[in-house]
Amino acid sequence: MTQILATPQMTERADVINVLGNAIKAGVSRNKIKYTREELKNFAPTLVNKPILKDHNATVDNTVGLVTSADSVGEDVPFMGWVKEDGTGILEKIKDKRVKEVSIGAIAAKLVKESDDSDVLLAQGLYALELSLTPVPGVLGTSISQTLEKLQKGEKVRIVENIQLFEKEHEYECPECGKKFDSKKAMND
């Protein structure tokens, strides 16, 4: 069964696009900070209503959009929002995929060493400050793209609760063997 939820987004026009993507993924970043599923689950709601910036440069002139929804799904923090053209060609860069990654701007209540012989730090108590557009993310697996483009191509938009559009597949259990599947089609194949 597919479930569709709606919340207000900006009306798309020439200078504004609705966007969606993945803000962060559980794992170790390039700067050796480890983000766990549990921490990201608590982090996701703090991303809602935060600005979308260019390059972590927190100035009014670099604010190009807003995150309107976010949640935690497995290892990912999918989000939706909108971006407005600011005279730098940012919409064109998103549409033609020159900019297709994002990076979180956040503070951590604590950074704890993973183990005595490791240089990896565990982020605890994460709180979002912003989401930045970037060509090279600190965490692999992030993304941003135009919402309308994905829908026009017939791609599934798989986000989470409280966002403009998402598809949630329920888990199906085979009555014969008890094995679980993401869809009836997978169960019947």
Side-chain angles (χ1 to χ4, degrees), residues 45-106:
T46 72
L47 190 57
V48 177
N49 290 321
K50 295 302 187 285
I52 297 176
L53 305 177
K54 294 187 299 186
D55 302 314
H56 293 297
N57 189 355
T59 65
V60 172
D61 287 343
N62 282 325
T63 304
V64 293
L66 185 71
V67 175
T68 57
S69 58
D71 206 340
S72 174
V73 177
E75 295 186 346
D76 299 319
V77 177
F79 73 93
M80 288 186 84
W82 56 266
V83 174
K84 184 174 184 189
E85 179 56 54
D86 66 344
T88 64
I90 195 65
L91 295 187
E92 180 182 342
K93 291 173 186 173
I94 293 170
K95 289 177 183 180
D96 69 16
K97 300 188 182 356
R98 281 180 280 165
V99 174
K100 57 185 175 188
E101 306 282 349
V102 292
S103 178
I104 64 166

Side-chain angles (χ1 to χ4, degrees), residues 9 12-21 79-83 91-97 99-100 143-153 155 157 164:
Q9 286 285 90
E12 285 213 12
R13 52 184 205 243
D15 66 338
V16 177
I17 61 171
N18 291 318
V19 294
L20 59 82
F79 73 93
M80 288 186 84
W82 56 266
V83 174
L91 295 187
E92 180 182 342
K93 291 173 186 173
I94 293 170
K95 289 177 183 180
D96 69 16
K97 300 188 182 356
V99 174
K100 57 185 175 188
S143 65
I144 186 167
S145 63
Q146 185 178 8
T147 306
L148 181 62
E149 177 185 73
K150 284 192 174 274
L151 294 174
Q152 286 174 334
K153 288 182 178 178
E155 294 180 29
V157 177
Q164 184 189 21

Side-chain angles (χ1 to χ4, degrees), residues 105-116:
I107 54 174
K110 282 201 275 185
L111 290 174
V112 179
K113 202 167 182 182
E114 187 175 38
S115 66
D116 288 337

